[in-house]
Amino acid sequence: MQNDNKLTELLKKIDILSLQIEKCKEEINLIKNEVSGLNNNSTLNESKLTPESPRIKPAPPKPPVPGFENFIGLKLINFVGIIVLIAGLTIGVKYVIDINLISPFMRIMLTYAAGVVLFFISLRLRKKYQLFSMILFSGSMASVYFTTYAAYEYYALIPRVTAFSLMLIFTFFTVYNSIKYNRQEIAILGLVGAYGIPFFVKGNSENITVLFSYIFIINFGVLLISFKKYWLSLMYISFFTTWLIYLSWVVIYSAGDAHEKGIIFCYAFFIFFLFNSLAFKVLKRLTITPSDTFLVITNTAFLYFSLVILYKEYGRASIENITLYFGILYLAAGIAVKKYISRQQHLYNGLFCVSVTAMVAFAAIKYINFTLTIVWVAMAVIMFVMGMVFRLKTFRISAILLFAVTLIKLLLMDSIKFNSIEKVSAYIVIGIVLLIISFLYQKYKKIIFEPENH
């Protein structure tokens, strides 16, 4: 009986499987019919094509424009051409000034007219030749900057308020167009290109209040752009151009009554570029990059050297004080950034580097010979301890570098000047300290080489 039951169950299963197989066959046939129908439709559609309606063929690809010729013909010639044109207009103005060919009023009007002509040509060409139009627009803005500056400074044809009001209007107009068309070329030629124009006509102006105020207005335009765009090349050009003009004046013309004005503008440019290099990233809550930190450090270096030159007549003590103040202020600034915005690692490391450099330089200015060697060793120890306690790699590396500099100084210079007791003392002290540092590295290597807290 059991065998009969098993046989019955197997037969039932076979029947069920047979039904399932039949259903699968039916589904396969349906799918085949659908596929054949689709193929027939596509064949009918193809047969309907007549000679009057040929198949659309893709257009052949355009031959690539040669890279070098593209750069020269579409970009470089534009820049060079407008710069040469502006230079020609400026030199032409200087020529008619030298020979008194026309009156000052006519000189200014003709130069304004040249700028206006360039502007209207740029408007006509804006739709079809946008890049070329923008270059012409930049040249027109540079022309009117120069003309307004010359009308006030060289000919006294317009009052100061009018001159600087006009330049502010030109600045806003240039900034508006550079942002609207998203073209950095407008800002570079229209704003930064206006820096050097006064020097084409009359060299370095002795009226630094007017000259530096003029430069400040142009930089104000760069600042406005930096709030909307982060054009690093524009920032670099304006930064180095401004400091180059200022340092040239400091070296040549800083004596006499202009001394105090020079100091005021020195701090003004420093604060301006410090704000300009960090404002965009701070407002957007972005990470400050090494390039931003480079601008901060370079800005500090320019301020320092400017102050040293301006205060050189007051003697060595003033240089010592300036260097010490830099070391203290940048140490405080680095600690503040580390505490309140610790994620900006590049910034506080840069500030600490400036502080360490200033402190080491202060010791080198104030002390000599054996005393300097001992002071540097003490400073290196303090920096290393701070680097260990606060887990600051910058201070640990700075301490090691200072030890290396001190040892090189001891071997190459102090060995000639020191007496026997000083040599023995210096070598023993440096040797013991280096061994202690090596031991600390071995003991606390797990803590030291962990990533810094951000």
Side-chain angles (χ1 to χ4, degrees):
M1 292 294 293
Q2 291 180 352
N3 292 332
D4 292 339
N5 291 333
K6 289 181 179 180
L7 181 62
T8 303
E9 290 178 357
L10 287 172
L11 289 172
K12 288 180 179 179
K13 289 181 178 180
I14 290 171
D15 291 337
I16 292 170
L17 291 171
S18 298
L19 291 173
Q20 291 178 348
I21 291 170
E22 290 296 328
K23 288 182 179 180
C24 290
K25 287 181 179 180
E26 291 176 0
E27 291 179 359
I28 290 171
N29 289 330
L30 289 173
I31 293 171
K32 285 181 177 180
N33 291 332
E34 290 178 359
V35 171
S36 61
L38 290 173
N39 290 334
N40 292 332
N41 289 334
S42 62
T43 305
L44 289 172
N45 290 332
E46 288 180 2
S47 63
K48 292 179 182 178
L49 290 174
T50 61
E52 288 76 15
S53 58
R55 294 184 182 182
I56 299 174
K57 295 182 180 180
K62 295 180 180 180
V65 180
F68 178 74
E69 185 177 1
N70 179 30
F71 172 73
I72 296 295
L74 299 181
K75 296 182 179 180
L76 185 60
I77 289 179
N78 289 333
F79 283 96
V80 174
I82 197 65
I83 291 171
V84 172
L85 177 60
I86 298 300
L89 290 172
T90 308
I91 295 170
V93 171
K94 179 175 174 58
Y95 174 74
V96 297
I97 290 172
D98 292 338
I99 65 173
N100 292 317
L101 185 63
I102 55 178
S103 66
F105 179 79
M106 287 302 299
R107 299 167 194 166
I108 295 300
M109 289 299 102
L110 286 175
T111 316
Y112 267 129
V116 171
V117 169
L118 286 176
F119 173 71
F120 280 108
I121 294 175
S122 72
L123 287 180
R124 293 296 301 271
L125 299 177
R126 182 167 292 180
K127 291 184 178 180
K128 292 185 178 180
Y129 309 99
Q130 190 180 80
L131 177 59
F132 184 66
S133 170
M134 292 303 98
I135 298 298
L136 294 180
F137 172 81
S138 304
S140 68
M141 289 298 101
S143 297
V144 294
Y145 266 115
F146 149 67
T147 306
T148 307
Y149 178 86
Y152 166 70
E153 171 65 4
Y154 301 144
Y155 305 118
L157 292 176
I158 55 177
R160 177 182 296 183
V161 176
T162 304
F164 284 91
S165 298
L166 285 172
M167 284 191 281
L168 280 175
I169 293 172
F170 299 148
T171 298
F172 281 114
F173 191 57
T174 306
V175 170
Y176 170 77
N177 278 276
S178 62
I179 293 174
K180 180 181 178 181
Y181 294 97
N182 197 27
R183 302 303 303 216
Q184 192 171 183
E185 296 90 341
I186 298 176
I188 291 176
L189 283 176
L191 293 174
V192 181
Y195 286 133
I197 287 176
F199 303 102
F200 272 104
V201 179
K202 201 179 176 182
N204 290 316
S205 176
E206 296 177 0
N207 189 345
I208 66 160
T209 303
V210 177
L211 177 63
F212 291 155
S213 298
Y214 167 80
I215 293 173
F216 217 94
I217 290 175
I218 299 171
N219 284 332
F220 178 68
V222 177
L223 177 64
L224 292 178
I225 293 175
S226 70
F227 279 104
K228 299 292 291 184
K229 305 285 184 180
Y230 190 66
W231 289 336
L232 193 59
S233 58
L234 175 64
M235 293 172 62
Y236 273 115
I237 293 172
S238 64
F239 174 80
F240 284 106
T241 303
T242 300
W243 276 115
L244 177 63
I245 294 172
Y246 179 81
L247 288 172
S248 300
W249 174 85
V250 166
V251 172
I252 301 172
Y253 295 100
S254 61
D257 298 335
H259 177 82
E260 294 182 359
K261 294 179 181 178
I263 293 173
I264 293 172
F265 278 107
C266 181
Y267 283 114
F269 286 137
F270 168 75
I271 295 170
F272 174 85
F273 284 115
L274 181 65
F275 183 76
N276 193 29
S277 58
L278 300 178
F280 180 87
K281 294 295 182 70
V282 172
L283 290 174
K284 301 291 185 180
R285 295 183 179 180
L286 301 173
T287 302
I288 295 172
T289 61
S291 60
D292 304 316
T293 307
F294 169 76
L295 279 178
V296 172
I297 294 174
T298 310
N299 193 37
T300 302
F302 285 146
L303 172 67
Y304 175 79
F305 288 115
S306 299
L307 292 176
V308 167
I309 296 172
L310 289 169
Y311 282 100
K312 64 182 178 181
E313 61 184 85
Y314 295 98
R316 180 174 172 178
S318 63
I319 299 176
E320 290 178 5
N321 293 333
I322 291 170
T323 309
L324 180 61
Y325 294 153
F326 269 74
I328 295 172
L329 289 174
Y330 274 81
L331 177 62
I335 293 172
V337 173
K338 171 73 173 170
K339 183 177 180 180
Y340 295 107
I341 45 176
S342 58
R343 65 187 182 88
Q344 303 292 3
Q345 183 184 5
H346 294 299
L347 180 59
Y348 69 69
N349 280 335
L351 296 174
F352 285 143
C353 286
V354 173
S355 175
V356 168
T357 304
M359 290 295 190
V360 172
F362 166 75
I365 296 169
K366 189 172 183 63
Y367 304 105
I368 59 173
N369 298 334
F370 181 75
T371 306
L372 176 59
T373 301
I374 297 302
V375 168
W376 273 359
V377 172
M379 291 176 65
V381 171
I382 293 171
M383 284 189 287
F384 186 80
V385 171
M386 289 178 64
M388 291 281 292
V389 173
F390 298 106
R391 295 181 61 197
L392 292 171
K393 184 178 179 180
T394 303
F395 278 90
R396 297 195 302 268
I397 297 298
S398 299
I400 293 172
L401 292 175
L402 185 55
F403 276 123
V405 172
T406 306
L407 191 59
I408 293 171
K409 173 180 176 293
L410 181 63
L411 292 172
L412 300 181
M413 300 173 61
D414 297 342
S415 296
I416 301 173
K417 300 177 182 179
F418 287 3
N419 58 41
S420 298
I421 296 176
E422 290 174 338
K423 288 180 185 178
V424 172
S425 301
Y427 278 110
I428 290 176
V429 169
I430 294 175
I432 292 173
V433 171
L434 289 175
L435 289 174
I436 292 173
I437 289 175
S438 176
F439 171 74
L440 292 174
Y441 263 110
Q442 295 295 324
K443 185 175 182 179
Y444 299 106
K445 59 184 177 181
K446 291 183 179 180
I447 298 175
I448 292 173
F449 293 109
E450 284 181 0
E452 297 181 18
N453 291 325
H454 299 296

